[in-house]
Amino acid sequence: MKVAIVGITGVVGETILRVLDERSVAIDELGAFASRDRREPLLWRGRPWPILAATPRALREGGFDAVFFASSDDASAELAEHAVAGGAAVIDNSATFRMRDGVPLIVPEVNPHAVGDDDMIFPVANCTAIVLCVALAPIARAAGLRSVRVATYQAVSGAGRAGLDALEREEKAAYRLEENLASSPFVRQIFRNVIPQVGSIDEFGDSGEEKKIAAETRKMLELPDLHVAATAVRVPVRYAHSEAVFVETERDTDPVALGEALGAAPGVVFFPDGNVTPRDVEGEDRVFVSRLRAEEGPSKRHFQLWVVGDQVRKGAATNAVQILELLIAREHFTKSKRQVLAD
Ligand SMILES: NC(=O)c1ccc[n+]([C@@H]2O[C@H](COP(=O)([O-])OP(=O)(O)OC[C@H]3O[C@@H](n4cnc5c(N)ncnc54)[C@H](OP(=O)(O)O)[C@@H]3O)[C@@H](O)[C@H]2O)c1
C-alpha cells in the first residue's frame, strides 16, 4: 500500500507516522509532504523518504492508495480533490469537508456504519468533538440524549507546533524575566492564564471551536436536533483536552446504569472513583471518563461527567489511522483500484 501524509512535519503528521508504526499498518511506500521541500529526508522504517512541497500534480500522479491531510483548511481545499482524482482515499484532519452533505464523519467507536461504498473523502472531526462523542455515544445508546452542555479546557498543542512553541517561549521568558515579543496563535498570554476563546468569534459571540463542537457532535451522533452548547477555553496544558460535560438524557436513568454503559463502551476508560487529568492521558488513544454523577434534585435525567482525551492522538492521528484500518477491513482499496482501472 502506498500512503502519503501532507503535513508530515507538523504535530498531527508526525503522530500519524508514530501511530501507523504502533499499529503495524502495512505500508510499502510513503509520500512525505509539507509546505516546502526539505533538504534532509525523513527516516522512517529504516528508509529515507524525501520531504517535498505538496502540489496538485504530486498528489494526483503519485499513485497513492490513501492520503492523510494534516496541514490546514486551505491546503485540504486546494489539494484533496487532486488526490481523489488520482484514485486515493483522503483522510483529512482539517475542517474543510466535515459538514458537507453526503460526506461521512467517522469515529470508528461511534458510527463505523456511516462509511459508504463510494466515499473517497473521510474528514476527521474536530478533536474536542471526537473526545466528547466517544464519551456521549454510550450514554446516548443507554438512555437517549436530549441536551449536552460542555465547557472545555483545551491544550495548546490543539493549535499545532505554534501553540506548543508559544507556551514554551512564554514560560522561558517568565522564568528569565525577559520580555517575549514573538507572535503567538493565542489572543492573550497563555502561560499562567486561561483564555475563553478558541478560534475567531462570530457576530453572535460564538467561537469557531464552539460552533464546530455543536455541529459535528450532532452529525457524528446522528442526532440532528440535539441541543449542544459549548464554551471552549484554552489552558496552559501541553497535550490532552479536558471537558466538563452536562447531559440531559431522554429517559430516566442513574449513574450506576450510565457507568456500566461507559465501562463497556469501546474506546472509553471509566473511573467510578477519583479523577483523571490531562497529564494522566498524554499519549493514550482512549477517552477517560470520571466524576460521573447525578445533578442535585428530583430529575433522573441530568448528569455531569469529566472527560479527558489526548486530542492529538484520539482527536486526530489515531482516529485518522483507525479510519484507514476500517477502509482496509472493508476492502475499500481493492474496490477503488478496480474502479480507477475500469474508468
Ligand atoms: N493539533 C491538534 O490537536 C489537531 C487536532 C485535530 C485536528 N487538527 C488539524 O490537523 C491539521 C494539522 O494540525 P497540526 O496541529 O499538526 O499543525 P502544525 O503542527 O502547525 O503542522 C502543520 C503542517 O502542515 C504543513 N502545511 C502547512 N501549509 C501547507 C500547505 N499549503 N501545503 C502542504 N503542507 C502544509 C506544515 O508544513 P511546514 O512544516 O512546511 O510548514 C506542517 O507540516 C490542521 O488542519 C488542524 O486543524 C489538529
Side-chain angles (χ1 to χ4, degrees):
M1 163 171 273
K2 189 171 180 182
V3 165
I5 301 176
V6 179
I8 202 143
T9 54
V11 171
V12 174
E14 70 180 17
T15 309
I16 290 174
L17 270 184
R18 195 173 312 132
V19 175
L20 287 169
D21 272 345
E22 288 169 4
R23 299 171 78 101
S24 303
V25 180
I27 290 171
D28 309 301
E29 282 191 69
L30 178 71
F33 296 103
S35 69
R36 57 190 165 80
D37 292 354
R38 298 296 206 277
R39 228 190 312 227
E40 292 293 317
L42 171 87
L43 287 177
W44 188 63
R45 294 191 176 174
R47 286 172 61 184
W49 306 95
I51 300 177
L52 303 171
T55 62
R57 186 169 175 192
L59 291 166
R60 204 175 46 244
E61 298 179 4
F64 300 112
D65 297 294
V67 178
F68 291 102
F69 279 83
S71 42
S72 67
D73 291 352
D74 288 347
S76 292
E78 187 199 333
L79 298 168
E81 309 276 7
H82 292 278
V84 170
V90 162
I91 303 173
D92 178 30
N93 281 282
S94 83
T96 303
F97 302 103
R98 290 177 189 158
M99 292 310 296
R100 279 207 190 162
D101 283 345
V103 173
L105 201 49
I106 304 296
V107 177
E109 295 87 343
V110 175
N111 60 349
H113 53 267
V115 175
D117 279 343
D118 299 329
D119 291 330
M120 291 299 277
I121 296 188
F122 301 91
V124 178
N126 170 275
C127 48
T128 317
I130 290 179
V131 169
L132 179 64
C133 284
V134 171
L136 289 179
I139 297 175
R141 283 193 293 267
L145 267 182
R146 179 165 292 171
S147 71
V148 176
R149 291 181 168 80
V150 57
T152 71
Y153 304 72
Q154 300 190 206
V156 294
S157 56
R161 186 90 59 211
L164 287 164
D165 290 349
L167 176 59
E168 194 179 322
R169 268 196 315 269
E170 289 176 9
E171 277 169 350
K172 284 185 179 156
Y175 290 129
R176 290 179 193 151
L177 303 178
E178 292 167 0
E179 200 179 356
N180 173 28
L181 297 172
S183 67
S184 159
F186 308 122
V187 293
R188 304 278 270 280
Q189 174 178 309
I190 186 63
F191 178 61
R192 292 182 179 156
N193 205 1
V194 297
I195 306 173
Q197 180 179 342
V198 180
S200 51
I201 303 281
D202 71 10
E203 70 268 37
F204 305 107
D206 292 314
S207 74
E209 184 79 355
E210 289 155 358
K211 287 188 287 188
K212 287 177 198 170
I213 293 168
E216 296 180 27
T217 295
R218 289 187 200 104
K219 182 166 179 176
M220 282 185 279
L221 294 179
E222 299 169 353
L223 295 171
D225 299 324
L226 180 67
H227 177 82
V228 184
T231 292
V233 180
R234 188 74 71 187
V235 296
V237 161
R238 281 170 58 79
Y239 294 97
H241 289 355
S242 307
E243 308 181 18
V245 186
F246 306 76
V247 298
E248 181 185 2
T249 56
E250 283 281 350
R251 301 181 287 281
D252 285 1
T253 183
D254 58 56
V256 174
L258 292 181
E260 279 171 12
L262 284 158
V268 176
V269 184
F270 174 59
F271 284 74
D273 303 306
N275 53 51
V276 181
T277 70
R279 279 190 82 98
D280 300 324
V281 312
E282 261 183 44
E284 293 280 347
D285 287 325
R286 289 174 300 173
V287 168
F288 293 72
V289 179
S290 61
R291 304 217 52 217
L292 170 66
R293 62 223 191 260
E295 287 189 9
E296 213 177 274
S299 168
K300 293 180 175 163
R301 300 187 183 184
H302 288 84
F303 303 90
Q304 298 185 28
L305 51 155
W306 176 249
V307 179
V308 187
D310 185 328
Q311 93 291 344
V312 175
R313 291 190 62 108
K314 181 55 198 164
T318 302
N319 200 82
V321 172
Q322 286 176 301
I323 291 174
L324 179 70
E325 290 172 332
L326 193 60
L327 296 179
I328 293 170
R330 289 174 56 110
E331 299 184 352
H332 172 97
F333 298 105
T334 335
K335 286 181 209 154
S336 61
K337 271 274 146 66
R338 236 187 275 127
Q339 180 115 35
V340 169
L341 291 175
D343 286 348

